[in-house]
């Protein structure tokens, strides 16, 4: 599967437009007009959202028009809307990185930051970097310990902890 | 007191052992941040802000601004040695910097870049020193309508003068304004756009958004390209440094011109990136050896670097005097100011002279320190890029998420980073500019408050924005910046096309 640029353009324009629609819905609940005290709470977001939707529609139209034109005429090599935005191998790489990152976030919420960081760095170095597993985990653990020293010891900012830290006597 | 006395007072604030230490630390951290992909000046500063809560505001701003200068230096280092711009504003430096380094003159290229950056910064700071008092006096005459007009001017300048398509800038800007209005509305006290989610009550923190947009977004782009660094030797030879210093005076005209471009683009919201490109273009046109640009011409390094740094420093002036930042990093710093309880604007000069003039004086010192430090430590930082990406990449990810968490100790912010990472990646790939969104998130509340107050003053008539010469003048400049650059460009290209057809 390859994502083409005009598809990405259209998807982005629809998303930004949807944000505008959501803002209008939210603003409408608050009143978008004028009261005795000047503009109501929804006035400013409402009109900003109208502009956002307008600009999104413009970008949407532009992307569709460029796509149509490119289908009829030979494409401009410098600015081709049909060019791959994310070729298959890139898509796999980006998706893999994003997936690991999402797993890291879920890990932070369940086993705490330090354990999650050790595993995330260690497993990435092992799976993708070709390091031996224990080397990767050691690098990850070293990184987690240095962040512990920086944040909790020097700046006294507690980070997310999971079930493991209390067992080690760290709160 | 005149500006000079105030500056001397500033030096007495800035030059203390503690502050000098902070400057060195800031510049070094900035270098790390500037060299590594995924960590740039805006999100480096965002990551550092939660750690500054323990410092007093003057020390904190000295640390943050030193980091900014360090990041600007670091960005040029990777441009020259690896052909990878560490910062968007050092893209133009790759054009001639990398070829020169590949010809075996990496010391010469680096020295040219760092010293001309230093000189650019110095020019910028001198302009700030001269204009600061005047700008704040001028801004004291501002009421709510004038402030709204200035915010409008900042937004308009981004749309009209930015390099991206105006409609894409507009999307980025309005999306930022909508994000800024999530949560408690400070004027009416009502809760807005939370859709019943209690996590949204406090609003969306722009620091967290910056970390996602600039940090994770840039990392995703790096991953997509399948990162492989092919660097040239980064050893610094002292003899070459001295030889290069001796040839620098030859480029005084390029420096002066680029410095002026940078100062102009820094004060108006053009920003360092636009300044460096424009300056490179102008230098190429002005040079008789124009054709040789791109093969390692010294002017091709001096021009963008001087403009980049003078714009970066000058961006501090409108931020301090008007509360209108003209670059993404300045916007983040201004957000920091507000978190520390300071209100940027003309009153800052009257009520916090230590802070303002301490910062301005520190800019002289830390940029000088920066040039020396960067020359001494470049081989070390360049080595950072030789660490495999499979190790350094996840570490940068972890730092970004930790930084986002420390902003408000909210787990919800972790998801915000993830979402805006994807947004940042898509926006960068599709040429939507990111800086306007940050600017809008920082200024959104202030712009809305100014609008609201103006409407109260005028009983709901928009005529108040054209009620006196000052506000009318600002509005006319704003509208001109909004409409003229693109329409002029369009008209010129139409004329050219007609000539081609005829």
């Amino acid at each position: 599967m390859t994502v083409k640029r005009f598809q990405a353009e259209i998807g982005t324009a629809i998303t930004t437009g949807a944000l505008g629609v959501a803002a209008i819905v939210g603003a409408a609940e608050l009143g978008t007009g004028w009261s005795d005290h000047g503009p109501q709470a929804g006035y400013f977001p409402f009109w900003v959202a109208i502009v956002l939707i307008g600009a999104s529609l413009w970008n949407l139209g532009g992307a569709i028009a460029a796509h149509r034109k490119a289908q009829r005429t030979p494409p401009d090599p410098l600015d081709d809307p049909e060019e791959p935005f994310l070729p298959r191998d890139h898509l796999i790489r980006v998706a893999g990185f994003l997936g690991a990152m999402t797993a890291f976030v879920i890990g932070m919420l369940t086993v705490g930051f330090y354990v999650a960081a050790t595993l995330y760095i260690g497993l990435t170095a092992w799976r993708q970097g070709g390091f031996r597993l224990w080397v990767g985990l050691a690098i990850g653990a070293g990184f987690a310990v240095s962040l512990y020293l920086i944040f909790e010891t020097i700046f006294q900012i507690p980070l997310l902890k999971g079930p493991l830290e209390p067992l080690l006597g760290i709160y | 007191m005149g500006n000079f006395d105030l500056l001397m007072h500033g030096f007495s604030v800035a030059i203390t052992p503690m502050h000098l230490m902070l400057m060195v630390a800031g510049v070094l951290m900035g270098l790390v941040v500037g060299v590594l992909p995924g960590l740039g000046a805006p999100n480096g500063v965002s990551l550092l802000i939660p750690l500054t809560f323990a410092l007093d505001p003057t020390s904190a701003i000295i640390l943050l601004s030193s980091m900014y200068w360090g990041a600007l230096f670091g960005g040029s280092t990777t441009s020259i040695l690896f052909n990878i711009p560490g910062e968007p504003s050092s893209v133009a430096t790759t054009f001639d910097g990398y070829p020169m380094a590949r010809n075996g003159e990496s010391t010469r290229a680096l020295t040219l870049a760092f010293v001309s950056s230093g000189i650019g910064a110095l020019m910028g700071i001198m302009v700030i020193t001269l204009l600061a008092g005047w700008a704040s006096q001028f801004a004291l005459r501002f009421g709510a309508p004038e402030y709204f007009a200035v915010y409008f001017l900042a937004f308009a300048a981004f749309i009209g003068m930015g390099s991206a398509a105006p409609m894409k800038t507009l999307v980025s800007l309005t999306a930022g304004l909508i994000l800024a209005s999530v949560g408690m509305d400070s004027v009416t006290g009502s809760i807005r756009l939370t859709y019943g989610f209690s996590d949204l009550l406090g609003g969306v923190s722009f620091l967290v958004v910056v970390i996602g947009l600039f940090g994770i977004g840039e990392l995703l782009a790096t991953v997509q390209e399948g990162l492989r660094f092919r660097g040239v030797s980064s050893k610094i030879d002292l003899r070459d440094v001295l030889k290069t210093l001796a040839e620098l005076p030859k480029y005084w005209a390029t420096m002066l011109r680029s410095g002026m471009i940078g100062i102009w683009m820094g004060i108006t919201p053009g920003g360092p990136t636009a300044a460096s490109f424009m300056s490179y273009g102008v230098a190429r046109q002005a040079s008789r050896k124009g054709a040789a640009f791109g093969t390692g011409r010294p002017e091709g390094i001096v021009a963008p670097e001087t403009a980049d740094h003078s714009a970066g420093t000058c961006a501090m002036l409108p931020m301090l005097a008007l509360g209108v930042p003209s670059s993404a990093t300045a916007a983040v710093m201004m957000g920091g100011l507000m978190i520390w309880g300071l209100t940027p604007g003309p009153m800052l000069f009257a009520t916090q002279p230590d802070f303002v003039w301490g910062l301005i004086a520190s800019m002289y010192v830390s940029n000088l320190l920066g040039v020396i430090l960067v020359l001494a430590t470049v081989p070390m930082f360049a080595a950072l890029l030789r660490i495999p990406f499979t190790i350094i990449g996840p570490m940068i990810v972890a730092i970004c998420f930790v930084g986002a968490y420390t902003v408000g100790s909210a787990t919800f912010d972790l998801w915000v980073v993830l979402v805006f990472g994807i947004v940042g990646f898509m926006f960068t790939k599709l040429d939507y500019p990111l800086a306007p969104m940050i600017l809008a998130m920082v200024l959104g509340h202030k712009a809305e408050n100014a609008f609201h107050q103006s409407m109260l003053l005028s009983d709901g008539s928009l005529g108040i924005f054209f009620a006196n010469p000052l506000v009318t003048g600002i509005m006319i400049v704003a509208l001109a910046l909004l409409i003229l650059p693109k329409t002029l460009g369009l008209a010129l290209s139409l004329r050219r096309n007609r000539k081609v057809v005829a």
Side-chain angles (χ1 to χ4, degrees):
Chain A
M1 194 185 104
T2 300
V3 180
K4 287 183 182 165
R5 202 177 83 202
F6 84 91
Q7 292 167 330
E9 290 274 11
I10 288 173
T12 306
I14 290 175
T15 312
T16 55
L19 176 71
V21 173
I24 286 182
V25 172
E29 290 171 15
L30 300 159
T32 56
W34 291 76
S35 66
D36 299 340
H37 314 290
Q40 285 178 308
Y43 177 85
F44 195 76
F46 178 78
W47 287 103
V48 170
I50 294 283
V51 176
L52 174 58
I53 291 173
S56 302
L57 286 176
W58 177 285
N59 290 334
L60 182 68
I64 292 173
H67 172 55
R68 289 251 172 89
K69 190 173 160 228
Q71 280 184 329
R72 271 185 276 117
T73 55
D76 176 357
L78 287 177
D79 186 32
D80 177 15
E82 309 303 304
E83 76 179 4
F85 174 76
L86 274 176
R88 199 182 142 77
D89 54 330
H90 290 198
L91 187 68
I92 290 173
R93 242 187 335 240
V94 172
F97 191 76
L98 261 180
M101 198 151 57
T102 314
F104 171 56
V105 172
I106 295 169
M108 275 175 88
L109 299 175
T110 48
V111 294
F113 168 72
Y114 298 106
V115 178
T118 307
L119 290 176
Y120 173 49
I121 292 169
L123 293 179
T124 313
W126 174 53
R127 296 280 305 181
Q128 291 173 3
F131 288 82
R132 253 171 280 170
L133 181 58
W134 70 268
V135 175
L137 288 176
I139 295 172
F143 176 79
V145 169
S146 47
L147 280 201
Y148 177 82
L149 293 177
I150 293 171
F151 282 94
E152 314 235 355
T153 316
I154 301 178
F155 288 102
Q156 314 218 314
I157 299 172
L159 300 182
L160 279 174
K161 294 191 194 63
L164 185 67
E165 284 86 354
L167 298 178
L168 297 170
I170 301 167
Y171 294 98
Chain B
M1 273 200 287
N3 277 4
F4 185 74
D5 296 326
L6 285 165
L7 182 66
M8 285 302 128
H9 173 68
F11 275 115
S12 72
V13 174
I15 305 183
T16 62
M18 159 86 169
H19 285 163
L20 286 174
M21 211 182 69
L22 285 177
M23 285 179 214
V24 172
V27 169
L28 289 179
M29 279 193 278
L31 283 170
V32 175
V33 155
V35 165
L36 290 177
L39 290 173
N43 62 326
V45 173
S46 302
L47 290 169
L48 207 55
I49 282 182
L51 303 183
T52 59
F53 294 155
L55 297 169
D56 70 282
T58 311
S59 312
I61 192 77
I62 287 178
L63 179 66
L64 293 187
S65 60
S66 304
M67 185 178 201
Y68 185 15
W69 319 137
L72 290 176
F73 284 119
S76 353
T77 309
T78 51
S79 292
I80 290 171
L81 293 180
F82 296 92
N83 204 18
I84 298 168
E87 298 283 319
S89 60
S90 39
V91 171
T93 311
T94 59
F95 301 157
D96 275 280
Y98 184 64
M100 183 185 274
R102 229 181 18 197
N103 295 343
E105 296 184 301
S106 57
T107 305
R108 181 168 173 227
L110 289 170
T111 314
L112 280 173
F114 299 149
V115 176
S116 49
S117 312
I119 291 172
L122 216 60
M123 288 165 70
I125 308 163
M126 286 198 283
V127 169
I128 294 190
T129 312
L130 292 174
L131 290 184
W134 173 81
S136 61
Q137 282 300 317
F138 178 65
L140 273 178
R141 290 161 51 200
F142 280 23
E146 284 82 3
Y147 269 111
F148 180 77
V150 169
Y151 298 137
F152 182 67
L153 174 83
F155 296 150
F158 261 111
I159 295 171
M161 288 166 63
S163 49
M167 282 300 158
K168 291 191 166 173
T169 312
L170 195 58
V171 164
S172 177
L173 190 74
T174 45
L177 286 173
I178 285 174
L179 289 169
S181 57
V182 173
M184 171 85 89
D185 170 22
S186 52
V187 181
T188 57
S190 46
I191 306 289
R192 299 195 294 190
L193 307 185
T194 60
Y195 308 100
F197 292 105
S198 58
D199 287 317
L200 287 173
L201 283 178
V204 183
S205 161
F206 74 94
L207 291 175
V208 177
V209 172
V210 169
I211 293 171
L213 283 180
F214 288 87
I216 303 297
E218 197 183 314
L219 273 177
L220 286 172
T222 313
V223 169
Q224 190 210 339
E225 297 304 323
L227 196 77
R228 236 174 288 113
F229 296 126
R230 234 173 285 119
V232 289
S233 153
S234 52
K235 277 210 197 78
I236 293 280
D237 183 352
L238 191 64
R239 237 177 338 162
D240 282 348
V241 173
L242 295 175
K243 244 191 337 207
T244 313
L245 285 180
E247 70 164 293
L248 264 172
K250 267 199 300 195
Y251 311 120
W252 66 273
T254 311
M255 279 186 201
L256 197 66
R257 203 167 41 221
S258 310
M260 306 287 250
I261 294 173
I263 288 164
W264 169 249
M265 298 296 272
I267 293 178
T268 61
T273 309
S276 60
F277 276 108
M278 189 192 269
S279 165
Y280 184 85
V282 169
R284 189 163 60 177
Q285 285 186 342
S287 160
R288 265 163 296 165
K289 295 168 191 145
F293 267 71
T295 58
R297 292 285 311 159
E299 290 94 336
I301 301 174
V302 170
E305 283 298 309
T306 314
D308 178 8
H309 272 232
S310 56
T313 43
C314 276
M316 304 294 276
L317 179 65
M319 187 265 269
L320 291 170
L322 295 172
V324 180
S326 59
S327 75
T329 315
V332 176
M333 275 193 229
M334 185 177 129
L337 246 67
M338 298 197 285
I339 295 174
W340 304 323
L342 299 175
T343 313
M347 288 314 285
L348 195 65
F349 285 77
T351 56
Q352 304 278 349
D354 281 11
F355 176 85
V356 174
W357 289 99
L359 168 63
I360 293 176
S362 87
M363 286 160 70
Y364 285 95
V365 185
S366 55
N367 272 298
L368 197 69
L369 273 176
V371 175
I372 299 167
L373 273 177
V374 72
L375 275 171
T377 56
V378 151
M380 207 172 83
F381 287 110
L384 276 178
L385 275 187
R386 300 183 201 278
I387 302 175
F389 185 78
T390 43
I391 301 229
I392 200 91
M395 283 185 182
I396 298 171
V397 169
I399 290 174
C400 286
F401 279 100
V402 167
Y405 177 73
T406 54
V407 169
S409 294
T411 51
F412 174 73
D413 285 345
L414 301 176
W415 298 109
V416 176
V417 172
L418 202 59
V419 169
F420 278 94
I422 299 169
V423 172
F425 173 66
M426 295 298 287
F427 270 29
T428 318
K429 294 277 299 173
L430 298 174
D431 298 321
Y432 284 82
L434 298 178
M437 190 189 277
I438 299 308
L439 181 88
M441 284 193 75
V442 173
L443 289 184
H445 275 290
K446 296 165 78 83
E448 187 180 352
N449 283 1
F451 180 76
H452 203 112
Q453 282 169 8
S454 312
M455 288 300 106
L456 289 183
L457 285 173
S458 72
D459 260 340
S461 153
L462 291 173
I464 190 161
F465 296 121
F466 297 93
N468 66 51
L470 182 60
V471 71
T472 311
I474 302 173
M475 282 309 261
I476 287 175
V477 173
L479 290 171
L481 282 178
L482 180 67
I483 297 162
L484 285 183
K486 299 291 175 194
T487 41
L488 278 181
L490 196 70
L492 283 177
S493 70
L494 279 181
R495 244 177 72 184
R496 214 173 299 136
N497 282 347
R498 203 170 302 155
K499 264 190 201 145
V500 172
V501 173

